[in-house]
Amino acid sequence: MELVEAAAGPAAQVLTLRVTAKEYVADGVVALGLAHADGARLPDWTPGAHLDLVLPGGLVRPYSLCGDRWDAHHYRVAVLREDAGRGGSARIHDRIAVGDRIGAKRPRNNFPLVPSDRYLFLAGGIGITPLLPMIQQAELVGADWQLVYGGRRRASMAFLDQLALHGDRVTVVPEDECGRPDLNAWLGEVRAGVRVYCCGPAGLLDAVAAACAHWPPYTLRTERFAARARDAPVRDAPFEVVMARSGTSVTVRPGATVLDAVRSAGADLLSSCGEGTCGTCETAVVAGEVDHRDALLTDEERATGDRMYPCVSRSRGERLVLDL
């Protein structure tokens, strides 16, 4: 199966990868091994990074890298089948086979692991994937760490065999056996110097955020699979977007996205989630004030105002200049 790279943007932006392995690692979860189609070295990545896969038909979907970051010739991702999703996971489960070629954008990291002597990792379901290389990194530098891993049942929880090698550092909490994780037991008392990383469904992320409310600022870092509920845009009138590199201007009307508007004016910009959760469409801001509506940037990053996600974010004023 060959990828038509032009379906997702210029070929220079897209790697062509070959599927080297496909295996089920839990009920409904398949892991893909990927290598460069020409056998070349792959771009480096850091724990927390994801890979935007360009699937047959031009679908672009982000998946967390969960393999060995020191292996320069292989990537690994794990994909949960979501029959109620938008079709990307079903295509991977049903149509992708060993030997197929698919596209990928270079790895991006919106969920970086900051240096610390102590970590608490909290995972829900497929949210374990970005945490695996973080655990590997914590082990490498000799940091103290613990993982609490929840899921519906053991059979649906990926990588339990791999995690069992870490002994009592890992607490596995299948809901059908133990109920949900007792977050108060882990987060009720502030522990100095601990960095908390959480990935999983929205309910878990919201519960962890509430449980960490009394911890120092910036202790908690999360990655979301789905967008938070958003209030109405700050501006309900049309505004102008100027693409600085081409000099082209386009009007963005209420109900339209900045992404759709700049694409209609000729910008070749990859996107994936359309919800401000994956970071694929990240765009530098040259001038103007952004109405940030994503689930990625921290308050500090939003205050800087130097980037935005045009699939959801908008302008607070009459004019926004983007590096396009």
Short mmCIF file of all heavy atoms in Angstrom, two decimals, residues 137-198:
data_model
loop_
_atom_site.label_atom_id
_atom_site.label_comp_id
_atom_site.label_asym_id
_atom_site.label_seq_id
_atom_site.Cartn_x
_atom_site.Cartn_y
_atom_site.Cartn_z
N GLN A 137 13.35 7.12 30.70
CA GLN A 137 14.25 8.23 30.97
C GLN A 137 14.50 8.39 32.46
O GLN A 137 15.65 8.64 32.88
CB GLN A 137 13.65 9.53 30.39
CG GLN A 137 14.51 10.76 30.58
CD GLN A 137 15.78 10.75 29.75
OE1 GLN A 137 15.91 9.93 28.84
NE2 GLN A 137 16.70 11.64 30.06
N ALA A 138 13.45 8.27 33.27
CA ALA A 138 13.62 8.38 34.72
C ALA A 138 14.57 7.30 35.24
O ALA A 138 15.42 7.56 36.10
CB ALA A 138 12.27 8.29 35.41
N GLU A 139 14.44 6.09 34.71
CA GLU A 139 15.34 5.01 35.08
C GLU A 139 16.78 5.34 34.68
O GLU A 139 17.73 5.10 35.44
CB GLU A 139 14.90 3.71 34.40
CG GLU A 139 13.71 3.04 35.04
CD GLU A 139 14.13 2.25 36.27
OE1 GLU A 139 14.79 1.21 36.13
OE2 GLU A 139 13.79 2.71 37.38
N LEU A 140 16.94 5.89 33.49
CA LEU A 140 18.27 6.18 32.96
C LEU A 140 19.02 7.17 33.84
O LEU A 140 20.23 7.02 34.07
CB LEU A 140 18.14 6.73 31.53
CG LEU A 140 19.44 7.07 30.80
CD1 LEU A 140 20.24 5.80 30.53
CD2 LEU A 140 19.14 7.80 29.50
N VAL A 141 18.31 8.19 34.33
CA VAL A 141 18.98 9.24 35.12
C VAL A 141 18.95 8.95 36.61
O VAL A 141 19.46 9.74 37.41
CB VAL A 141 18.37 10.62 34.83
CG1 VAL A 141 18.50 10.97 33.36
CG2 VAL A 141 16.91 10.69 35.27
N GLY A 142 18.35 7.83 37.00
CA GLY A 142 18.33 7.46 38.41
C GLY A 142 17.33 8.22 39.25
O GLY A 142 17.49 8.33 40.48
N ALA A 143 16.27 8.74 38.62
CA ALA A 143 15.24 9.47 39.36
C ALA A 143 14.34 8.49 40.10
O ALA A 143 14.17 7.34 39.70
CB ALA A 143 14.41 10.33 38.40
N ASP A 144 13.75 8.97 41.19
CA ASP A 144 12.76 8.19 41.92
C ASP A 144 11.41 8.38 41.23
O ASP A 144 11.02 9.51 40.96
CB ASP A 144 12.69 8.69 43.37
CG ASP A 144 11.71 7.90 44.21
OD1 ASP A 144 11.38 6.76 43.84
OD2 ASP A 144 11.24 8.45 45.23
N TRP A 145 10.71 7.30 40.94
CA TRP A 145 9.44 7.43 40.23
C TRP A 145 8.46 6.34 40.65
O TRP A 145 8.86 5.28 41.13
CB TRP A 145 9.64 7.38 38.71
CG TRP A 145 10.17 6.06 38.19
CD1 TRP A 145 11.49 5.72 38.05
CD2 TRP A 145 9.40 4.92 37.79
NE1 TRP A 145 11.59 4.42 37.57
CE2 TRP A 145 10.33 3.90 37.40
CE3 TRP A 145 8.04 4.64 37.69
CZ2 TRP A 145 9.92 2.66 36.94
CZ3 TRP A 145 7.63 3.39 37.24
CH2 TRP A 145 8.58 2.42 36.86
N GLN A 146 7.20 6.64 40.45
CA GLN A 146 6.12 5.68 40.67
C GLN A 146 5.08 5.86 39.56
O GLN A 146 4.88 6.98 39.06
CB GLN A 146 5.46 5.88 42.03
CG GLN A 146 6.35 5.52 43.21
CD GLN A 146 5.66 5.80 44.53
OE1 GLN A 146 5.31 6.93 44.84
NE2 GLN A 146 5.47 4.75 45.32
N LEU A 147 4.43 4.77 39.20
CA LEU A 147 3.37 4.79 38.19
C LEU A 147 2.10 4.20 38.78
O LEU A 147 2.13 3.10 39.37
CB LEU A 147 3.78 3.98 36.95
CG LEU A 147 2.66 3.67 35.95
CD1 LEU A 147 2.18 4.94 35.24
CD2 LEU A 147 3.11 2.62 34.93
N VAL A 148 0.99 4.90 38.59
CA VAL A 148 -0.34 4.38 38.89
C VAL A 148 -1.05 4.23 37.54
O VAL A 148 -1.25 5.21 36.82
CB VAL A 148 -1.13 5.32 39.82
CG1 VAL A 148 -2.50 4.72 40.13
CG2 VAL A 148 -0.36 5.58 41.10
N TYR A 149 -1.44 3.01 37.20
CA TYR A 149 -1.97 2.69 35.88
C TYR A 149 -3.36 2.08 36.04
O TYR A 149 -3.51 0.96 36.53
CB TYR A 149 -1.00 1.72 35.19
CG TYR A 149 -1.37 1.28 33.79
CD1 TYR A 149 -2.32 1.92 33.01
CD2 TYR A 149 -0.70 0.18 33.23
CE1 TYR A 149 -2.62 1.49 31.72
CE2 TYR A 149 -0.99 -0.27 31.94
CZ TYR A 149 -1.95 0.39 31.21
OH TYR A 149 -2.26 -0.04 29.92
N GLY A 150 -4.37 2.83 35.61
CA GLY A 150 -5.74 2.36 35.69
C GLY A 150 -6.29 1.96 34.32
O GLY A 150 -5.84 2.47 33.29
N GLY A 151 -7.24 1.06 34.33
CA GLY A 151 -7.90 0.63 33.10
C GLY A 151 -9.16 -0.13 33.44
O GLY A 151 -9.42 -0.43 34.61
N ARG A 152 -9.95 -0.43 32.43
CA ARG A 152 -11.22 -1.11 32.68
C ARG A 152 -11.00 -2.53 33.20
O ARG A 152 -11.69 -2.99 34.10
CB ARG A 152 -12.06 -1.13 31.41
CG ARG A 152 -12.53 0.27 31.01
CD ARG A 152 -13.42 0.21 29.79
NE ARG A 152 -13.89 1.54 29.43
CZ ARG A 152 -14.65 1.81 28.37
NH1 ARG A 152 -15.01 0.82 27.56
NH2 ARG A 152 -15.05 3.04 28.11
N ARG A 153 -10.05 -3.24 32.59
CA ARG A 153 -9.73 -4.61 33.02
C ARG A 153 -8.32 -4.93 32.54
O ARG A 153 -7.81 -4.29 31.63
CB ARG A 153 -10.74 -5.61 32.46
CG ARG A 153 -10.99 -5.50 30.99
CD ARG A 153 -12.25 -6.23 30.54
NE ARG A 153 -12.49 -6.00 29.11
CZ ARG A 153 -11.97 -6.72 28.14
NH1 ARG A 153 -11.17 -7.75 28.42
NH2 ARG A 153 -12.22 -6.45 26.88
N ARG A 154 -7.69 -5.91 33.14
CA ARG A 154 -6.29 -6.21 32.83
C ARG A 154 -6.10 -6.53 31.34
O ARG A 154 -5.11 -6.13 30.74
CB ARG A 154 -5.80 -7.39 33.67
CG ARG A 154 -5.59 -7.06 35.12
CD ARG A 154 -5.06 -8.24 35.90
NE ARG A 154 -5.02 -7.92 37.32
CZ ARG A 154 -3.98 -7.34 37.94
NH1 ARG A 154 -2.89 -7.05 37.24
NH2 ARG A 154 -4.03 -7.07 39.22
N ALA A 155 -7.04 -7.26 30.77
CA ALA A 155 -6.87 -7.68 29.38
C ALA A 155 -6.85 -6.49 28.42
O ALA A 155 -6.31 -6.60 27.31
CB ALA A 155 -8.00 -8.63 28.98
N SER A 156 -7.42 -5.36 28.83
CA SER A 156 -7.44 -4.18 27.96
C SER A 156 -6.29 -3.22 28.23
O SER A 156 -6.18 -2.18 27.57
CB SER A 156 -8.77 -3.43 28.13
OG SER A 156 -8.86 -2.84 29.43
N MET A 157 -5.42 -3.56 29.18
CA MET A 157 -4.33 -2.66 29.58
C MET A 157 -3.03 -3.11 28.93
O MET A 157 -2.50 -4.20 29.23
CB MET A 157 -4.22 -2.64 31.11
CG MET A 157 -5.50 -2.13 31.79
SD MET A 157 -5.51 -2.32 33.59
CE MET A 157 -4.27 -1.10 34.08
N ALA A 158 -2.51 -2.28 28.05
CA ALA A 158 -1.33 -2.63 27.27
C ALA A 158 -0.05 -2.53 28.09
O ALA A 158 0.04 -1.74 29.03
CB ALA A 158 -1.23 -1.71 26.05
N PHE A 159 0.92 -3.35 27.73
CA PHE A 159 2.30 -3.30 28.23
C PHE A 159 2.43 -3.69 29.70
O PHE A 159 3.41 -3.33 30.36
CB PHE A 159 2.90 -1.91 28.00
CG PHE A 159 2.84 -1.46 26.57
CD1 PHE A 159 2.03 -0.39 26.21
CD2 PHE A 159 3.54 -2.11 25.58
CE1 PHE A 159 1.95 0.03 24.89
CE2 PHE A 159 3.46 -1.70 24.26
CZ PHE A 159 2.67 -0.63 23.91
N LEU A 160 1.48 -4.48 30.23
CA LEU A 160 1.60 -4.90 31.63
C LEU A 160 2.83 -5.77 31.86
O LEU A 160 3.48 -5.67 32.91
CB LEU A 160 0.34 -5.65 32.06
CG LEU A 160 -0.93 -4.79 32.24
CD1 LEU A 160 -2.09 -5.68 32.68
CD2 LEU A 160 -0.70 -3.67 33.24
N ASP A 161 3.17 -6.62 30.90
CA ASP A 161 4.36 -7.48 31.05
C ASP A 161 5.62 -6.63 31.16
O ASP A 161 6.50 -6.90 31.99
CB ASP A 161 4.48 -8.45 29.88
CG ASP A 161 3.40 -9.52 29.89
OD1 ASP A 161 2.72 -9.65 30.92
OD2 ASP A 161 3.23 -10.20 28.87
N GLN A 162 5.71 -5.63 30.31
CA GLN A 162 6.87 -4.74 30.33
C GLN A 162 6.96 -3.98 31.65
O GLN A 162 8.04 -3.84 32.24
CB GLN A 162 6.75 -3.76 29.15
CG GLN A 162 7.84 -2.72 29.06
CD GLN A 162 7.65 -1.81 27.85
OE1 GLN A 162 7.06 -2.22 26.83
NE2 GLN A 162 8.12 -0.58 27.94
N LEU A 163 5.83 -3.52 32.15
CA LEU A 163 5.82 -2.74 33.38
C LEU A 163 6.07 -3.60 34.60
O LEU A 163 6.60 -3.11 35.62
CB LEU A 163 4.48 -2.01 33.51
CG LEU A 163 4.26 -0.89 32.49
CD1 LEU A 163 2.80 -0.44 32.48
CD2 LEU A 163 5.18 0.30 32.77
N ALA A 164 5.73 -4.88 34.53
CA ALA A 164 5.93 -5.77 35.67
C ALA A 164 7.40 -5.89 36.05
O ALA A 164 7.73 -6.20 37.21
CB ALA A 164 5.35 -7.15 35.36
N LEU A 165 8.29 -5.61 35.12
CA LEU A 165 9.73 -5.68 35.39
C LEU A 165 10.17 -4.64 36.41
O LEU A 165 11.26 -4.76 36.99
CB LEU A 165 10.51 -5.50 34.09
CG LEU A 165 10.24 -6.54 32.98
CD1 LEU A 165 11.00 -6.17 31.72
CD2 LEU A 165 10.62 -7.93 33.45
N HIS A 166 9.34 -3.62 36.63
CA HIS A 166 9.70 -2.55 37.57
C HIS A 166 9.18 -2.80 38.98
O HIS A 166 9.34 -1.94 39.86
CB HIS A 166 9.18 -1.21 37.04
CG HIS A 166 9.78 -0.79 35.75
ND1 HIS A 166 11.11 -0.46 35.63
CD2 HIS A 166 9.24 -0.65 34.51
CE1 HIS A 166 11.36 -0.13 34.36
NE2 HIS A 166 10.25 -0.24 33.67
N GLY A 167 8.57 -3.95 39.21
CA GLY A 167 8.17 -4.32 40.56
C GLY A 167 7.18 -3.36 41.19
O GLY A 167 6.23 -2.91 40.55
N ASP A 168 7.44 -3.02 42.48
CA ASP A 168 6.46 -2.23 43.23
C ASP A 168 6.49 -0.74 42.90
O ASP A 168 5.76 0.05 43.51
CB ASP A 168 6.63 -2.44 44.73
CG ASP A 168 8.01 -2.04 45.24
OD1 ASP A 168 8.81 -1.48 44.46
OD2 ASP A 168 8.30 -2.30 46.43
N ARG A 169 7.31 -0.34 41.95
CA ARG A 169 7.20 1.04 41.46
C ARG A 169 5.89 1.25 40.70
O ARG A 169 5.44 2.38 40.52
CB ARG A 169 8.37 1.39 40.53
CG ARG A 169 9.71 1.60 41.22
CD ARG A 169 10.74 2.02 40.19
NE ARG A 169 12.06 2.20 40.77
CZ ARG A 169 12.51 3.35 41.28
NH1 ARG A 169 11.72 4.41 41.30
NH2 ARG A 169 13.73 3.44 41.76
N VAL A 170 5.31 0.16 40.22
CA VAL A 170 4.10 0.22 39.39
C VAL A 170 2.91 -0.31 40.16
O VAL A 170 2.95 -1.43 40.71
CB VAL A 170 4.29 -0.58 38.09
CG1 VAL A 170 3.01 -0.59 37.26
CG2 VAL A 170 5.46 -0.02 37.27
N THR A 171 1.84 0.49 40.22
CA THR A 171 0.58 0.07 40.83
C THR A 171 -0.47 -0.04 39.73
O THR A 171 -0.81 0.96 39.09
CB THR A 171 0.11 1.08 41.90
OG1 THR A 171 1.11 1.19 42.92
CG2 THR A 171 -1.21 0.63 42.52
N VAL A 172 -0.95 -1.25 39.48
CA VAL A 172 -1.93 -1.52 38.43
C VAL A 172 -3.32 -1.57 39.07
O VAL A 172 -3.53 -2.30 40.05
CB VAL A 172 -1.62 -2.83 37.70
CG1 VAL A 172 -2.69 -3.14 36.66
CG2 VAL A 172 -0.24 -2.75 37.05
N VAL A 173 -4.26 -0.80 38.52
CA VAL A 173 -5.59 -0.68 39.11
C VAL A 173 -6.66 -0.98 38.05
O VAL A 173 -7.24 -0.07 37.46
CB VAL A 173 -5.81 0.73 39.70
CG1 VAL A 173 -7.10 0.76 40.52
CG2 VAL A 173 -4.63 1.16 40.56
N PRO A 174 -6.95 -2.26 37.78
CA PRO A 174 -8.05 -2.58 36.88
C PRO A 174 -9.39 -2.25 37.56
O PRO A 174 -9.63 -2.66 38.69
CB PRO A 174 -7.92 -4.09 36.65
CG PRO A 174 -6.58 -4.46 37.22
CD PRO A 174 -6.28 -3.47 38.27
N GLU A 175 -10.24 -1.53 36.88
CA GLU A 175 -11.48 -1.06 37.50
C GLU A 175 -12.40 -2.21 37.90
O GLU A 175 -13.07 -2.15 38.93
CB GLU A 175 -12.21 -0.11 36.55
CG GLU A 175 -13.41 0.57 37.18
CD GLU A 175 -14.03 1.63 36.29
OE1 GLU A 175 -13.41 1.99 35.27
OE2 GLU A 175 -15.13 2.10 36.62
N ASP A 176 -12.43 -3.28 37.11
CA ASP A 176 -13.34 -4.39 37.44
C ASP A 176 -12.88 -5.18 38.66
O ASP A 176 -13.65 -5.94 39.25
CB ASP A 176 -13.53 -5.31 36.23
CG ASP A 176 -12.25 -6.01 35.81
OD1 ASP A 176 -11.15 -5.56 36.21
OD2 ASP A 176 -12.33 -7.01 35.06
N GLU A 177 -11.63 -4.98 39.09
CA GLU A 177 -11.11 -5.67 40.27
C GLU A 177 -11.00 -4.74 41.48
O GLU A 177 -11.27 -5.15 42.61
CB GLU A 177 -9.71 -6.24 39.99
CG GLU A 177 -9.64 -7.26 38.88
CD GLU A 177 -8.21 -7.68 38.60
OE1 GLU A 177 -7.34 -7.55 39.50
OE2 GLU A 177 -7.93 -8.15 37.47
N CYS A 178 -10.59 -3.50 41.23
CA CYS A 178 -10.21 -2.60 42.32
C CYS A 178 -10.99 -1.29 42.36
O CYS A 178 -10.76 -0.47 43.26
CB CYS A 178 -8.72 -2.25 42.23
SG CYS A 178 -7.63 -3.64 41.96
N GLY A 179 -11.86 -1.06 41.38
CA GLY A 179 -12.45 0.27 41.28
C GLY A 179 -11.45 1.23 40.67
O GLY A 179 -10.43 0.83 40.11
N ARG A 180 -11.75 2.49 40.77
CA ARG A 180 -10.84 3.50 40.19
C ARG A 180 -9.71 3.84 41.16
O ARG A 180 -9.84 3.63 42.37
CB ARG A 180 -11.64 4.76 39.84
CG ARG A 180 -12.67 4.50 38.75
CD ARG A 180 -13.44 5.74 38.37
NE ARG A 180 -14.38 5.45 37.30
CZ ARG A 180 -15.21 6.35 36.78
NH1 ARG A 180 -15.23 7.59 37.24
NH2 ARG A 180 -16.03 5.98 35.81
N PRO A 181 -8.60 4.36 40.64
CA PRO A 181 -7.47 4.70 41.53
C PRO A 181 -7.87 5.69 42.60
O PRO A 181 -8.66 6.61 42.35
CB PRO A 181 -6.44 5.32 40.56
CG PRO A 181 -6.78 4.74 39.23
CD PRO A 181 -8.28 4.58 39.22
N ASP A 182 -7.35 5.50 43.80
CA ASP A 182 -7.59 6.40 44.91
C ASP A 182 -6.63 7.58 44.78
O ASP A 182 -5.50 7.54 45.27
CB ASP A 182 -7.38 5.67 46.23
CG ASP A 182 -7.63 6.55 47.45
OD1 ASP A 182 -7.98 7.74 47.26
OD2 ASP A 182 -7.47 6.04 48.58
N LEU A 183 -7.08 8.62 44.09
CA LEU A 183 -6.19 9.75 43.81
C LEU A 183 -5.78 10.48 45.08
O LEU A 183 -4.67 11.02 45.17
CB LEU A 183 -6.86 10.71 42.83
CG LEU A 183 -7.16 10.14 41.44
CD1 LEU A 183 -7.80 11.20 40.56
CD2 LEU A 183 -5.88 9.63 40.79
N ASN A 184 -6.66 10.50 46.07
CA ASN A 184 -6.31 11.19 47.31
C ASN A 184 -5.13 10.53 48.00
O ASN A 184 -4.30 11.19 48.63
CB ASN A 184 -7.51 11.23 48.25
CG ASN A 184 -7.24 12.07 49.48
OD1 ASN A 184 -6.99 13.27 49.38
ND2 ASN A 184 -7.27 11.44 50.65
N ALA A 185 -5.03 9.21 47.86
CA ALA A 185 -3.91 8.50 48.47
C ALA A 185 -2.58 8.91 47.86
O ALA A 185 -1.54 8.88 48.54
CB ALA A 185 -4.11 6.98 48.34
N TRP A 186 -2.61 9.27 46.59
CA TRP A 186 -1.38 9.64 45.89
C TRP A 186 -1.15 11.14 45.85
O TRP A 186 0.01 11.59 45.79
CB TRP A 186 -1.43 9.11 44.46
CG TRP A 186 -1.44 7.62 44.39
CD1 TRP A 186 -2.54 6.80 44.29
CD2 TRP A 186 -0.31 6.76 44.47
NE1 TRP A 186 -2.15 5.48 44.29
CE2 TRP A 186 -0.79 5.43 44.39
CE3 TRP A 186 1.06 6.97 44.59
CZ2 TRP A 186 0.06 4.33 44.44
CZ3 TRP A 186 1.91 5.87 44.62
CH2 TRP A 186 1.41 4.57 44.55
N LEU A 187 -2.22 11.93 45.88
CA LEU A 187 -2.10 13.37 45.67
C LEU A 187 -2.62 14.21 46.83
O LEU A 187 -2.50 15.43 46.81
CB LEU A 187 -2.87 13.76 44.39
CG LEU A 187 -2.37 13.11 43.10
CD1 LEU A 187 -3.35 13.37 41.96
CD2 LEU A 187 -0.98 13.61 42.73
N GLY A 188 -3.19 13.56 47.84
CA GLY A 188 -3.75 14.31 48.96
C GLY A 188 -2.70 15.11 49.71
O GLY A 188 -2.96 16.22 50.17
N GLU A 189 -1.51 14.53 49.84
CA GLU A 189 -0.42 15.20 50.56
C GLU A 189 0.63 15.69 49.56
O GLU A 189 1.11 14.91 48.73
CB GLU A 189 0.22 14.23 51.55
CG GLU A 189 1.37 14.83 52.34
CD GLU A 189 2.00 13.83 53.30
OE1 GLU A 189 1.38 12.77 53.53
OE2 GLU A 189 3.11 14.10 53.78
N VAL A 190 0.96 16.96 49.64
CA VAL A 190 1.98 17.54 48.75
C VAL A 190 3.34 16.96 49.12
O VAL A 190 3.72 16.94 50.29
CB VAL A 190 2.02 19.07 48.87
CG1 VAL A 190 3.15 19.65 48.02
CG2 VAL A 190 0.68 19.68 48.44
N ARG A 191 4.05 16.49 48.08
CA ARG A 191 5.39 15.95 48.29
C ARG A 191 6.39 16.83 47.54
O ARG A 191 6.32 16.95 46.32
CB ARG A 191 5.46 14.50 47.81
CG ARG A 191 4.75 13.53 48.74
CD ARG A 191 4.72 12.13 48.18
NE ARG A 191 3.72 11.99 47.13
CZ ARG A 191 3.71 11.00 46.25
NH1 ARG A 191 4.68 10.11 46.25
NH2 ARG A 191 2.76 10.92 45.35
N ALA A 192 7.27 17.42 48.27
CA ALA A 192 8.19 18.41 47.71
C ALA A 192 9.02 17.80 46.59
O ALA A 192 9.55 16.69 46.71
CB ALA A 192 9.11 18.95 48.80
N GLY A 193 9.12 18.54 45.50
CA GLY A 193 9.99 18.15 44.40
C GLY A 193 9.42 17.14 43.44
O GLY A 193 10.07 16.80 42.44
N VAL A 194 8.20 16.64 43.68
CA VAL A 194 7.60 15.64 42.80
C VAL A 194 6.94 16.32 41.60
O VAL A 194 6.17 17.28 41.76
CB VAL A 194 6.57 14.78 43.55
CG1 VAL A 194 5.84 13.84 42.58
CG2 VAL A 194 7.24 13.99 44.66
N ARG A 195 7.23 15.84 40.42
CA ARG A 195 6.54 16.28 39.20
C ARG A 195 5.50 15.23 38.84
O ARG A 195 5.81 14.04 38.82
CB ARG A 195 7.52 16.45 38.04
CG ARG A 195 8.52 17.58 38.24
CD ARG A 195 7.89 18.91 37.89
NE ARG A 195 8.87 19.98 37.84
CZ ARG A 195 8.68 21.16 37.28
NH1 ARG A 195 7.53 21.41 36.67
NH2 ARG A 195 9.60 22.09 37.28
N VAL A 196 4.28 15.68 38.54
CA VAL A 196 3.18 14.77 38.26
C VAL A 196 2.85 14.83 36.76
O VAL A 196 2.59 15.92 36.22
CB VAL A 196 1.93 15.13 39.08
CG1 VAL A 196 0.80 14.14 38.80
CG2 VAL A 196 2.26 15.14 40.58
N TYR A 197 2.85 13.66 36.12
CA TYR A 197 2.50 13.56 34.70
C TYR A 197 1.30 12.63 34.56
O TYR A 197 1.30 11.53 35.11
CB TYR A 197 3.68 13.02 33.89
CG TYR A 197 4.70 14.09 33.57
CD1 TYR A 197 5.60 14.52 34.53
CD2 TYR A 197 4.74 14.67 32.31
CE1 TYR A 197 6.52 15.52 34.25
CE2 TYR A 197 5.65 15.67 32.01
CZ TYR A 197 6.54 16.09 32.99
OH TYR A 197 7.44 17.09 32.70
N CYS A 198 0.30 13.09 33.81
CA CYS A 198 -0.92 12.31 33.67
C CYS A 198 -1.40 12.33 32.23
O CYS A 198 -1.43 13.38 31.58
CB CYS A 198 -2.01 12.89 34.58
SG CYS A 198 -3.57 11.99 34.52
#
